[in-house]
Amino acid sequence: MNRRVLAALGSAALALSMAACSGDGAGSGGNDSDTPADLTIGVSMPTQTSERWIADGNSVKEKLEAKGYQVDLQYAGDDIPTQSQQVDQMITRGADVLIIAAIDGTALSGQLQAAADADIPVIAYDRLIRDSPNVDFYVSFDNYKVGVAQATALLVGLGVQTKDGAKGEAKGPFNIELFAGSLDDNNAHFFFDGAMDTLKPFIDDGTLKVTSGQTKIEQVAILRWQQEAAQKRMEDLLTSSYNSGTKVDGVLSPYDGLSRGIITALQNAGYKGADFPVVTGQDAEIASVKLIDDGVQSSTIFKDTRLLAEQAVIAGEAFLTDKAPEANDTETYNNGVKVVPSYLLPVQTVYKDDIKPVLIDSGYFTAEEVAAGQAG
Ligand code: BGC
């Protein structure tokens, strides 16, 4: 156990026994700053440009503070040196546990070594930290299944498959394009693998045609998941591969921000109405939920960040009380050095009809927020 945690727990126990001996009320016998409630959890989030990370940061902070912990929450503006520096500072300021959603999954080995040297447990939040033995736990969603769900939503949107997995009426051939996330994010590979395993049989039998021929993750990845870069790539694809009357029928997009860039490029090229291509997504960002409600974007994958934050807090508390957090997967996430014990949450596909039952009735968004396309 972390030395500071032991000391804090020890003093708290001493304070309690002193209070018991003297008959004083709780808290009157010791120094408040020595109680476990004064432990600090450092929370390092990648960026505030995507609303999901703001929601994640806020949820983790609120849940930890509700339990009385101190929280040092930092956002790194998608800049790797900034994140390294922020984690370094959390360590020097005496964090007792670190919860980190990495920008580049391979860039934090030095910081994690410093954390291990100071006996600070590290929880990788949603994105696995790679190439380090010092990742103690991983909380995330089933990322392979996210990719399967995205590809399935593309097939359903095109009518090749029905929502219950049966063969659909549509035969194709359909022209599609593929997008992937940032190559330095471990999740991007899981999403793409899940999607490609699902789409491959349909590409092989000619139902789907990737008109550009770009089917390798290196060809379709978007660095730092940037919306503008996705828009630019879609514009380039339209110019290079759709200049002779061929129409795009569908786009596999792994994240709502990329989907919005792709949609803008398609709209600027004149796509509209019933002929608008099927575009997938992820994260149920409010602007995209509105686009789904308006019939522009076809689907998104909802990952309830409230549940993920809860798991991070449960894991953090387990470390603070010297228990191993409960894992439900001890096989899938090899970070290059070891298999990191993980807690994976399920995901849900959201089409227009699912907005009310899944997002509004669960309190994730209000009907007004969906109508406005803006949270808060
Ligand atoms: C997350 C996704 C998110 C993406 C871009 C990934 O690591 O798992 O939910 O869409 O990063 O922020």
Side-chain angles (χ1 to χ4, degrees), residues 50 52-53 126-127 185 187 191 225 255 282-283 303:
S50 153
R52 85 146 279 193
W53 298 113
D126 197 49
R127 296 175 172 175
D185 179 345
N187 288 350
F191 301 152
W225 304 87
Y255 156 54
Q282 171 170 214
D283 288 346
K303 307 199 303 193

